[in-house]
């Protein structure tokens, strides 16, 4: 008997070639997931009948979810059901209105801060013009709520221009305007003082001229009527003189703290 050649002999099962193929097949099965086979004629694994075990519960969940959605849509389109829901809502609203103890949905009104400034609130004065109300309210906020107050140059200039007008800043709110102007400093303060001095000098000059005119033309009534200052302008000038003198007294004695 002739011996088999080494090239045609079959390697043993423990050969590395077989071990590598077994490791590769095991890794492939783990990656694909667990599968089971249904018994066939030859009890072989039929690839057309392989079903993933993890797929079944997911499909069942989807079908149940679809059923619930269909049931909800049917309930929503039911007219009797919608009428019942609307009636329940109306009943709840009536109960909440009739029950005084149920105040959970009622929004409490914001509590207004008490005025401790000593000045009247311009927002509560209905007789003030709109622009006067805005600018005086700006000055009032500096005393009422200093943390909320912010400097506004336009409104400060309005107060400086209209401090002589009894219509724009009436006597009721004059202390507030004085209080605000006492806090200004720098060039604005100096300009205000100069305006007050100029107003006083102009008033004295006009008074002197009117007195001379009255002495010269005292005998003629017609001449008097042409040289007399109209009552309205005279009242405005006297108001300006009084306020200018008061401002000079206040600004010369007060300490500046706010620009």
């Amino acid at each position: 008997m002739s011996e088999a050649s080494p090239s045609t002999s079959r390697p043993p099962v423990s050969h590395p070639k077989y071990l590598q193929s077994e490791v590769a097949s095991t890794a492939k099965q783990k990656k694909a997931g667990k599968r089971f086979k249904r018994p066939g004629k030859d009890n072989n694994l039929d690839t057309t009948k392989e079903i993933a075990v993890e797929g079944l519960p997911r499909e069942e969940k989807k079908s149940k979810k679809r059923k619930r959605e269909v049931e909800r849509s049917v309930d929503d389109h039911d007219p009797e059901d919608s009428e019942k829901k609307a009636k329940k809502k109306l009943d709840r609203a009536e109960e909440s209105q009739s029950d005084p103890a149920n105040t959970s949905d009622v929004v409490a009104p914001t509590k207004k801060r008490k005025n401790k400034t000593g000045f009247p609130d311009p927002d509560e004065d209905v007789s003030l013009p709109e622009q006067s109300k805005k600018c005086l309210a700006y000055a009032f906020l500096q005393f009422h709520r200093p943390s909320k107050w912010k400097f506004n140059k336009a409104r400060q200039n309005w107060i400086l221009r209209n401090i002589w007008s009894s219509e724009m800043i009436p006597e009721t709110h004059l202390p507030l305007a004085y209080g605000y102007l006492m806090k200004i400093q720098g060039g604005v303060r100096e300009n205000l003082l100069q305006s007050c001095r100029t107003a006083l000098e102009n008033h004295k000059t006009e008074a002197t001229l009117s007195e001379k005119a009255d002495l010269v033309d005292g005998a003629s009534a017609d001449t008097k009527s042409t040289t007399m200052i109209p009552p309205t302008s005279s009242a405005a000038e006297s108001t300006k003189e009084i306020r200018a003198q008061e401002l000079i007294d206040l600004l010369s004695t007060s300490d500046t703290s706010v620009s």
Side-chain angles (χ1 to χ4, degrees):
M1 180 182 288
S2 63
E3 294 180 1
S5 64
S7 60
T8 57
S9 64
R10 187 175 180 180
V13 178
S14 60
H15 196 273
K17 182 178 180 182
Y18 289 105
L19 292 175
Q20 288 178 1
S21 63
E22 286 180 5
V23 171
S25 63
T26 306
K28 192 180 290 184
Q29 287 177 3
K30 286 182 179 179
K31 188 175 180 181
K34 294 180 180 180
R35 296 176 181 275
F36 68 92
K37 60 181 180 178
R38 293 178 181 176
K41 290 181 180 179
D42 298 331
N43 201 16
N44 293 327
L45 182 64
D46 190 357
T47 55
T48 59
K49 294 181 181 180
E50 289 178 0
I51 302 171
V53 176
E54 296 177 358
L56 286 174
R58 190 178 297 174
E59 292 297 329
E60 289 177 4
K61 286 180 182 178
K62 286 183 179 179
S63 63
K64 287 180 181 179
K65 189 176 180 181
R66 289 195 196 99
K67 285 180 183 179
R68 285 198 297 270
E69 288 176 355
V70 172
E71 288 174 0
R72 285 175 186 171
S73 62
V74 171
D75 292 341
D76 291 341
H77 289 84
D78 190 359
E80 293 182 1
D81 237 11
S82 59
E83 286 178 5
K84 288 178 181 178
K85 288 179 181 178
K87 193 175 179 182
K88 283 182 180 179
K89 286 182 180 178
L90 287 172
D91 292 341
R92 287 174 187 169
E94 289 175 0
E95 286 176 3
S96 63
Q97 289 176 1
S98 61
D99 189 5
N102 189 12
T103 57
S104 58
D105 297 334
V106 179
V107 179
T110 55
K111 191 175 180 180
K112 193 173 181 180
R113 192 167 182 174
K114 192 175 180 180
N115 182 8
K116 297 180 180 180
T117 61
F119 304 120
D121 191 348
D123 286 329
E124 296 177 358
D125 191 347
V126 294
S127 64
L128 280 174
E130 191 63 28
Q131 190 64 24
S132 299
K133 189 177 288 188
K134 286 180 181 179
C135 295
L136 290 173
Y138 157 77
F140 178 75
L141 188 64
Q142 187 183 21
F143 299 96
H144 185 49
R145 300 191 72 180
S147 60
K148 299 290 183 181
W149 179 83
K150 289 183 181 180
F151 175 71
N152 189 313
K153 188 174 182 180
R155 294 188 178 178
Q156 177 174 286
N157 289 339
W158 185 94
I159 295 172
L160 290 167
R161 287 195 308 270
N162 293 276
I163 191 62
W164 323 112
S165 172
S166 58
E167 293 179 359
M168 304 306 288
I169 302 179
E171 294 293 328
T172 310
H173 301 285
L174 190 60
L176 172 62
Y178 283 166
Y180 177 82
L181 294 176
M182 285 169 65
K183 291 178 175 289
I184 63 174
Q185 62 179 0
V188 179
R189 184 185 183 85
E190 293 300 324
N191 291 337
L192 179 58
L193 279 169
Q194 186 59 40
S195 298
C196 293
R197 295 188 188 103
T198 304
L200 290 175
E201 289 173 2
N202 291 340
H203 182 75
K204 287 177 182 178
T205 304
E206 289 176 1
T208 304
L209 291 173
S210 63
E211 285 176 4
K212 287 181 179 179
D214 290 341
L215 290 172
V216 172
D217 303 322
S220 175
D222 294 336
T223 309
K224 280 185 179 181
S225 64
T226 56
T227 56
M228 283 179 64
I229 301 171
T232 53
S233 63
S234 177
E237 288 298 325
S238 63
T239 302
K240 188 172 184 178
E241 180 196 8
I242 293 168
R243 293 189 177 187
Q245 187 60 57
E246 289 174 350
L247 277 170
I248 288 174
D249 296 339
L250 290 169
L251 293 172
S252 59
T253 57
S254 64
D255 296 326
T256 61
S257 60
V258 176
S259 59

